[in-house]
Amino acid sequence: MFEKSRDYLAKPELYIPSTDPFWDDEHISKGMLEAHLNPHWDAATRKSDFLDMSVSWIASIAPPKQFHQLLDLGCGPGLYAERFNSVGYSVIGIDFSSRSIEYAKEQTQHNKSNIEYHYQNYLTIDHVEKFDVITLIYCDYAALSITDRLILLEKIHRALRPNGKFIFDVFTPKMRKKESRTWCYEEKGGFFCKEPYICLESIYQYDDYDETELRQSIVLNETEVHCYNIWDHFFTKEKLLSEAQPIGFGAYDFYGDVSGKKYSDAEETICCVFTK
Ligand SMILES: C[S@@+](CC[C@H](N)C(=O)[O-])C[C@H]1O[C@@H](n2cnc3c(N)ncnc32)[C@H](O)[C@@H]1O
């Protein structure tokens, strides 16, 4: 075990993948779904009051009558998708957590809301001028490398109809963490594993072009070592424009959050509305 763990203790090379899936792990996805469904947590989905405000703001800038077809990327268990549908959008949701997608499908049957859900990596979407609105909410764009961000922006631009809107949020540099190393012992099991485990958590900063941040969780149980690497990036308006302008959107609007708060460079998030 000591041998196996030691390999993970040095600062990892940029974009070394996790040893196991994170969002789609059988155990982790259970805790994640609980976090999504807790209306008072900001952990995996924002609090439910915020979701309500967010959906009514989006419906005000892209009214469902004119902007009918909506694609929600990284839809999780469908908390936004259900709300989008209830204000009049025709909704497709995509996520690569099978537990979240199963839950979302059950909800749409139960609510007779007629939302289409796909268990799919959103980096593989391939649509041409099919959607009026595409959303990617809760700073997922920031988890992608610059290569993947540009691939995704191209695909989104292609998938939007003329005048369609891509609406997403990102963290600003205010949210960058300090490098650190901490540990905890989960005697009864916990978020990462149902058996007892030790978790060694590190935050690393990289001085690459993208000033990448890594949150690494090394999970040690009786017999195994798992390593989860969650990459993050932080954005200014200028950086966002430098990525989106070459793709060829026609207009770029910025807000302080995804409920339409006024943009200020003192905020923790930026919400972007890019119009094709
Ligand atoms: C922070 S949660 C946000 C969920 C939802 N947008 C919300 O605000 O409630 C991120 C979601 O994106 C999904 N996800 C992350 N990367 C993905 C990818 N490449 N393809 C599909 N889904 C992805 C995760 O499974 C997770 O459900």
Side-chain angles (χ1 to χ4, degrees):
M1 179 57 79
F2 184 64
E3 277 294 305
K4 277 197 213 167
S5 328
R6 205 170 40 188
D7 292 346
Y8 293 106
L9 296 181
K11 181 173 182 169
E13 271 174 42
L14 208 51
Y15 299 124
I16 290 269
S18 303
T19 54
D20 302 78
F22 175 75
W23 293 103
D24 210 14
D25 176 83
E26 170 62 22
H27 177 78
I28 295 173
S29 66
K30 231 184 249 175
M32 202 58 89
L33 182 58
E34 271 173 42
H36 278 296
L37 298 182
N38 188 323
H40 310 297
W41 280 0
D42 264 336
T45 292
R46 292 198 176 91
K47 293 177 187 150
S48 73
D49 290 354
F50 183 88
L51 265 60
D52 295 338
M53 286 188 337
S54 185
V55 169
S56 62
W57 173 67
I58 290 172
S60 74
I61 59 163
K65 274 200 177 142
Q66 292 111 281
F67 294 81
H68 193 58
Q69 299 291 337
L70 185 148
L71 174 65
D72 188 19
L73 302 174
C75 62
L79 302 176
Y80 269 94
E82 284 288 341
R83 284 169 169 82
F84 284 137
N85 184 258
S86 72
V87 296
Y89 293 103
S90 165
V91 184
I92 296 182
I94 289 182
D95 202 286
F96 70 3
S97 159
S98 55
R99 188 181 298 280
S100 280
I101 287 293
E102 281 317 306
Y103 178 89
K105 284 182 176 169
E106 280 164 27
Q107 290 305 301
T108 191
Q109 273 189 356
H110 180 261
N111 299 334
K112 302 195 175 21
S113 47
N114 201 24
I115 301 167
E116 208 181 296
Y117 287 108
H118 299 282
Y119 171 59
Q120 185 185 352
N121 184 337
Y122 52 58
L123 292 170
T124 67
I125 60 167
D126 189 15
H127 303 284
V128 182
E129 300 200 351
K130 183 169 173 188
F131 298 100
D132 303 298
V133 182
I134 299 182
T135 51
L136 177 63
I137 298 179
Y138 216 171
C139 302
D140 263 28
Y141 183 77
L144 302 172
S145 67
I146 178 69
T147 312
D148 285 346
R149 296 201 298 271
L150 297 183
I151 290 172
L152 187 62
L153 279 177
E154 284 276 6
K155 284 176 177 272
I156 287 170
H157 188 266
R158 221 160 86 87
L160 283 171
R161 294 193 176 126
N163 204 33
K165 292 181 189 299
F166 174 40
I167 304 174
F168 68 106
D169 55 348
V170 292
F171 289 122
T172 66
K174 277 194 89 164
M175 297 301 280
R176 185 178 292 287
K177 295 171 214 62
K178 287 208 162 64
E179 287 206 323
S180 62
R181 287 189 153 192
T182 52
W183 63 273
C184 66
Y185 175 45
E186 294 288 353
E187 200 177 352
K188 297 191 169 118
F191 179 76
F192 281 107
C193 176
K194 60 177 187 289
E195 289 93 39
Y197 68 89
I198 293 169
C199 181
L200 311 177
E201 284 258 346
S202 301
I203 304 288
Y204 292 108
Q205 298 294 341
Y206 292 79
D207 58 6
D208 60 318
Y209 146 83
D210 224 4
E211 297 180 294
T212 303
E213 179 177 288
L214 168 65
R215 173 188 285 271
Q216 183 182 59
S217 306
I218 301 166
V219 177
L220 311 155
N221 64 20
E222 192 82 48
T223 52
E224 294 163 346
V225 184
H226 302 272
C227 173
Y228 301 96
N229 291 335
I230 308 289
W231 306 93
D232 224 338
H233 303 94
F234 304 91
F235 293 84
T236 59
K237 232 174 167 177
E238 293 69 31
K239 181 168 171 169
L240 289 158
L241 283 171
S242 75
E243 294 177 16
Q245 274 172 334
I247 309 281
F249 286 93
Y252 306 88
D253 295 305
F254 296 94
Y255 299 85
D257 68 19
V258 80
S259 75
K261 193 175 187 179
K262 192 168 181 293
Y263 169 82
S264 138
D265 54 14
E267 293 295 340
E268 294 178 351
T269 59
I270 301 177
C271 169
C272 310
V273 180
F274 293 169
T275 304
K276 181 165 173 177

